[in-house]
Amino acid sequence: MTKTSTSNTNTMTKKMTLKERYEEAKNSKPSPTPAQVFIQRCMDACHVTENTVRGWLCNSRKPDALAQEALAKEFGCTADELFPTEEGGQQ
């Protein structure tokens, strides 16, 4: 039984192996989402990895004072606003 996919016009005009289809899919880069752009912005400001930023976002890690100041500068606010203490009621 032969099934033709209509979801990808490139694959309809040219016969491709499974491996070729995989390589095409792997090499096509969709636009980054707003969340990906935000994470990249944090990474660039602090010169850290994506895992580090994700750790900060899920509260498993806290950035050091230098990184907090870099993020505050990047977002135009204070470090205290970005990283409130428990006394402030937000955490």
Side-chain angles (χ1 to χ4, degrees):
M1 173 155 77
T2 305
K3 186 173 183 178
T4 303
S5 171
T6 58
S7 63
N8 188 340
T9 56
N10 280 347
T11 58
M12 288 183 60
T13 59
K14 174 181 158 188
K15 290 185 178 183
M16 296 172 66
T17 65
L18 183 64
K19 176 72 173 178
E20 289 169 332
R21 290 170 192 262
Y22 169 75
E23 291 299 326
E24 180 179 276
K26 183 175 79 170
N27 293 328
S28 66
K29 302 259 184 202
S31 298
T33 66
Q36 291 168 324
V37 171
F38 178 85
I39 289 172
Q40 186 65 53
R41 199 171 159 192
C42 294
M43 290 167 54
D44 292 344
C46 299
H47 307 284
V48 296
T49 67
E50 181 178 348
N51 285 341
T52 298
V53 174
R54 289 187 182 280
W56 298 340
L57 294 173
C58 71
N59 290 324
S60 67
R61 295 183 232 170
K62 187 174 180 179
D64 62 27
L66 187 61
Q68 287 184 28
E69 289 304 319
L71 290 168
K73 182 178 179 183
E74 176 68 22
F75 294 109
C77 60
T78 66
D80 289 336
E81 183 180 345
L82 293 174
F83 303 99
T85 59
E86 287 188 30
E87 298 96 39
Q90 300 173 348
Q91 186 71 335

